[in-house]
Amino acid sequence: MTATSAQDISARYHFACDVARQAAELAYDFYQRRQQLAVEHKGDDLQDVVSQADREVEALTRRLIAQRFPLDDFLGEESGGSGGSAACTWVVDPIDGTACFLNGLHTWCVSIGVIVDGDPVIGVVYDPNHQEMFHACKGQGAFLNHDPIRVHAGSSLRDGVMGVGTSHRVTPEDFVPFISRLLHAGGMFIRSGSGALMTAQVAAGRLIGYYEPHMNAWDSLPGIVLVREAGGVSNDFLADHGLQRGNVLLMANAEIYSQLSELIQQKIK
Ligand code: IPD
Ligand code: CA
Ligand code: CA
């Protein structure tokens, strides 16, 4: 795999922000007429839904990226794809928080990450309901629109609110004991329904951390870049075939991260 130049990375960073904006515009248009959308279930999980909006927004992002960077790989939640053979892989969830989107809740976003030479390097999360673009590129800091952002400075779980998520890809036992331990430690949590957006909120210091026992790459990678660039840490998500299979996701500032790791270890024991 050849090393990608700073210029190549910069071109993709700016383009990722453009694509997120265009994708969000189309998604928002569908959102305003969501009652007319036919909804399908994915497999046996009745909570895992998809609509024409998810498919068309992903098709738009795939087309725009292929036109501009035809040699790059693309991996999307709805249309799948490859990842890892080209120097640059785009990882896209066209609408993260589909259940919120379809039910008229505001917590959904467009989520775009780029892996460069095997490393998560670009992360963009765009929330069209609040016109908030969270974006970061490795080594350049993290931003909310034009303003730099930092992770929460708290040193105790009592100092802030955790973002958490779960799905039917794991069992209740993989998740519920963590919540009990968090509450016993004096912590508190929210689950907004959009994991990608909550990871961006961690980068912006609005949430003290994020934990989910299994997240997919298209939901996790943008936030990982954002949080690391905002001064926080996350687990090695791409280990154990994380790109293809997903992985546990844990992120926070370094001190809170180690406290959370301990709570999760207790669950694993
Ligand atoms: C889901 C959301 C949810 C998270 C799940 C994801 P979707 O994505 O991000 O918050 O807990 O792991 O699958 O289905 O809304 O794109
Ligand atoms: Ca998602
Ligand atoms: Ca999705």
Side-chain angles (χ1 to χ4, degrees):
M1 212 176 259
T2 52
T4 307
S5 72
Q7 215 175 2
D8 288 340
I9 292 172
S10 171
R12 283 167 177 81
Y13 180 26
H14 291 113
F15 193 63
C17 294
D18 276 359
V19 172
R21 231 177 252 112
Q22 291 185 57
E25 204 175 305
L26 178 60
Y28 195 78
D29 185 51
F30 277 117
Y31 181 61
Q32 286 174 305
R33 47 195 171 89
R34 59 191 171 274
Q35 265 88 7
Q36 298 154 26
L37 292 173
V39 177
E40 293 161 41
H41 301 283
K42 291 188 191 172
D44 292 339
D45 182 0
L46 295 186
Q47 301 281 356
D48 198 3
V49 287
V50 63
S51 77
Q52 183 197 356
D54 304 78
R55 294 207 174 96
E56 286 199 20
V57 176
E58 181 160 318
L60 172 70
T61 62
R62 186 184 269 276
R63 196 167 58 245
L64 291 170
I65 293 163
Q67 274 164 4
R68 177 76 190 273
F69 298 109
L71 299 180
D72 289 4
D73 278 343
F74 182 96
L75 174 65
E77 173 166 16
E78 309 307 339
S79 57
S82 57
S85 52
C88 298
T89 298
W90 295 72
V91 185
V92 173
D93 189 349
I95 298 172
D96 181 58
T98 294
C100 303
F101 177 97
L102 291 171
N103 289 299
L105 296 165
H106 285 180
T107 44
W108 57 271
C109 64
V110 174
S111 169
I112 300 180
V114 187
I115 301 173
V116 180
D117 301 327
D119 198 21
V121 164
I122 295 165
V124 178
V125 170
Y126 187 56
D127 167 2
N129 282 288
H130 303 96
Q131 288 161 25
E132 289 191 324
M133 168 86 74
F134 301 86
H135 56 99
C137 183
K138 190 173 178 182
Q140 297 182 34
F143 299 85
L144 168 46
N145 294 331
H146 297 293
D147 300 324
I149 48 177
R150 294 295 292 171
V151 291
H152 200 290
S155 56
S156 154
L157 287 166
R158 295 171 192 264
D159 290 339
V161 179
M162 274 290 292
V164 296
T166 194
S167 70
H168 290 295
R169 298 185 298 274
V170 297
T171 67
E173 291 69 31
D174 291 320
F175 178 67
V176 175
F178 169 78
I179 294 296
S180 168
R181 291 191 175 108
L182 176 70
L183 294 173
H184 278 296
M188 190 37 74
F189 66 92
I190 61 159
R191 178 183 192 267
S192 76
S194 170
L197 190 51
M198 281 188 283
T199 62
Q201 312 280 17
V202 175
R206 294 172 180 174
L207 295 173
I208 200 164
Y210 187 79
Y211 169 64
E212 179 156 349
H214 178 272
M215 278 264 273
N216 285 309
W218 42 80
D219 297 325
S220 307
L221 292 173
I224 288 172
V225 180
L226 280 157
V227 164
R228 289 179 180 168
E229 286 303 308
V233 293
S234 81
N235 60 303
D236 181 8
F237 184 87
L238 290 176
D240 303 325
H241 307 283
L243 181 61
Q244 296 79 17
R245 296 184 193 159
N247 212 334
V248 59
L249 182 64
L250 181 66
M251 49 174 54
N253 72 36
E255 196 164 349
I256 296 292
Y257 184 94
S258 74
Q259 293 172 31
L260 289 168
S261 302
E262 259 180 52
L263 294 188
I264 294 161
Q265 293 295 328
Q266 286 176 25
K267 173 187 75 92
I268 289 163
K269 252 188 251 164

